[in-house]
Amino acid sequence: MSPLSTPSRRAFLGAAGAIVFSGLAGCLGRWNYDAAALERELQDQIMRVPPGNLPLADGYLWSARETAERSASVLAERLSSLPNHVSPDNPSVERASKHLKWGRAAITESTTQQSTSAMRRVREARTTLGRGHGWLDTAVGPAETDGLREQHTNLVRALARSWTGVEYRATTVSVGIYVASVTEQLLSEAASSLESVDQALDGVDSTDDEKRARLFAAAAAEIAHARAALADANAVIGRQRTQVFEGTPSLRDPMTVAARNLLETTEADIESVTPVSDDRPWVVREVLDELSVRPPRDVRDALGADRPATALSNLRWRRQRLTARERLDTDTLSVPKSSEALVSSRRAALDALQQARSNVGDPVEQTCVRQAQLKAINGDRDLENVVSEARSTGARTTKLATEAYARYVAARTLAEAAKPTATRLTQAVANELGR
């Protein structure tokens, strides 16, 4: 799982308006930024690191995309031949049309992406089209829930079988961790969707027509998502099984023991992190906030549910942040008082990302680099806000610039922490495998 962002804190600062900013302005000062220079810097886009490759049978992605296209074709046909009692202006029909458009756009986008990203986009397309079918069902009405309940029951049984088939053997420890974690994630997605179906169908009997239609469409979407996630997981499981020798040892137990040991160490390290005191400079607090680490309760939950790869994945981002904090020299942090200082922080982040990307050796490390990349991308979004603000009143540019700076600093240290983090995780499992 990815770490939670901190929108509540930023939202609070934004909502407090002039009162909060006046306090910050006294500490930060107000500095002018060259919007044109920053805009030119943003033209040098961050090179995206794709997710690791997954073992997929030849033609699987084409087959999944074809399934989505069939759903889109059927929905288009239904919309073009509405019953006489259904008006094209019916709100539910209009919603179905929008979801058809969005679903087709997602299918088209998937054709330009690397296989792992494309598979996710096709899954999203199938979910969107499922919701479109649900909306149209409510327009044609009355929407019957029996069919959805039967599909739900069948998918719950299929999901239970898939959990027992997760493949923990692999050609390397890193590949084993990565593929198993993605498989567990896909099955967890399916399980979550099926739980949502239960909740939605329980409310479909509402006397409120709008609420009933919305819940029915949501249930149809979650059924489609569960079906797609389950198909993707089974495709990964099946292909992984054909790519390793029968005598290859399972990594399930080594992963479990390694995750438990790392959990103990991580909990101790988190407890030893000194809380950021209010008397620290605001820029320091902002950077440390970007590298905050919450208690690993989800790791315990994953281990309790016998999902060791998920436990390691949830430990991975925490270990990466802890390592980044260790490497961070807070004495060098300062409010970016010029466009040059802001550009310099971005350049340092991009250089660190380039270095990390060029030395990626395995999919676990690749995932760590992607975490750093995401932080830099978020920094660019802040920088875009600096450009916009600098061209208007300029009243909040220093605050926005400092937030962008904090994310670039965090991205740089996370990129530097990628390799040692990945090495620690894979070595922990390898050590247990060798025992």
Side-chain angles (χ1 to χ4, degrees), residues 24 43 53 70 80 108 110 163 192 267 280 322 361 376-377:
L24 289 174
Q43 290 176 1
N53 289 323
R70 280 200 303 270
S80 67
T108 300
S110 75
W163 272 119
S192 178
E267 285 180 321
R280 299 292 296 277
L322 287 167
I377 291 171

Side-chain angles (χ1 to χ4, degrees), residues 85-345:
H85 69 281
V86 179
S87 167
D89 296 328
N90 182 302
S92 291
V93 173
E94 292 178 345
R95 290 186 179 110
S97 296
K98 288 179 180 178
H99 282 81
L100 172 61
K101 177 182 177 181
W102 296 334
R104 280 178 162 167
I107 294 171
T108 300
E109 185 179 343
S110 75
T111 62
T112 65
Q113 295 175 321
Q114 177 260 5
S115 61
T116 304
S117 297
M119 187 171 72
R120 182 176 61 248
R121 201 73 180 103
V122 171
R123 193 161 63 248
E124 293 169 356
R126 292 178 65 178
T127 305
T128 300
L129 293 166
R131 191 179 298 272
H133 280 285
W135 278 119
L136 189 53
D137 287 343
T138 65
V140 174
E144 300 292 342
T145 61
D146 290 349
L148 290 180
R149 292 188 188 279
E150 182 179 356
Q151 292 181 64
H152 176 271
T153 299
N154 293 335
L155 286 169
V156 167
R157 291 172 181 157
L159 177 62
R161 290 193 298 270
S162 294
W163 272 119
T164 63
V166 176
E167 183 58 76
Y168 292 93
R169 296 178 306 135
T171 52
T172 68
V173 169
S174 179
V175 169
I177 293 172
Y178 175 70
V179 173
S181 68
V182 172
T183 306
E184 289 181 358
Q185 177 189 337
L186 287 167
L187 294 177
S188 294
E189 278 188 34
S192 178
S193 287
L194 291 174
E195 289 175 4
S196 297
V197 172
D198 264 339
Q199 296 169 6
L201 290 180
D202 286 344
V204 167
D205 294 333
S206 168
T207 56
D208 183 325
D209 289 344
E210 173 63 24
K211 180 180 179 181
R212 186 166 59 249
R214 177 170 49 80
L215 290 174
F216 186 91
E222 297 295 350
I223 284 287
H225 186 84
R227 190 180 300 282
L230 191 57
D232 289 348
N234 287 333
V236 173
I237 292 169
R239 183 58 172 169
Q240 178 77 340
R241 191 163 293 156
T242 65
Q243 288 189 345
V244 295
F245 297 109
E246 284 297 329
T248 304
S250 171
L251 296 174
R252 178 193 282 271
D253 290 343
M255 282 186 195
T256 301
V257 176
R260 285 175 180 158
N261 293 338
L262 282 171
L263 172 61
E264 184 177 341
T265 303
T266 302
E267 285 180 321
D269 289 345
I270 292 174
E271 289 176 4
S272 68
V273 171
T274 304
V276 184
S277 60
D278 292 338
D279 60 355
R280 299 292 296 277
W282 184 62
V283 64
V284 173
R285 284 183 279 141
E286 197 71 14
V287 173
L288 292 176
D289 185 61
E290 293 295 335
L291 296 173
S292 61
V293 188
R294 67 172 183 263
R297 286 185 290 271
D298 54 350
V299 177
R300 290 194 177 280
D301 292 342
L303 286 171
D306 196 21
R307 299 172 190 175
T310 299
L312 284 173
S313 178
N314 294 345
L315 283 164
R316 185 203 69 247
W317 71 260
R318 289 180 169 89
R319 293 304 330 168
Q320 187 174 359
R321 287 190 170 202
L322 287 167
T323 303
R325 289 175 75 104
E326 292 171 0
R327 291 169 171 263
L328 181 67
D329 183 358
T330 57
D331 292 336
T332 64
L333 303 178
S334 60
V335 174
K337 298 179 181 179
S338 65
S339 301
E340 290 77 9
L342 199 46
V343 167
S344 178
S345 68

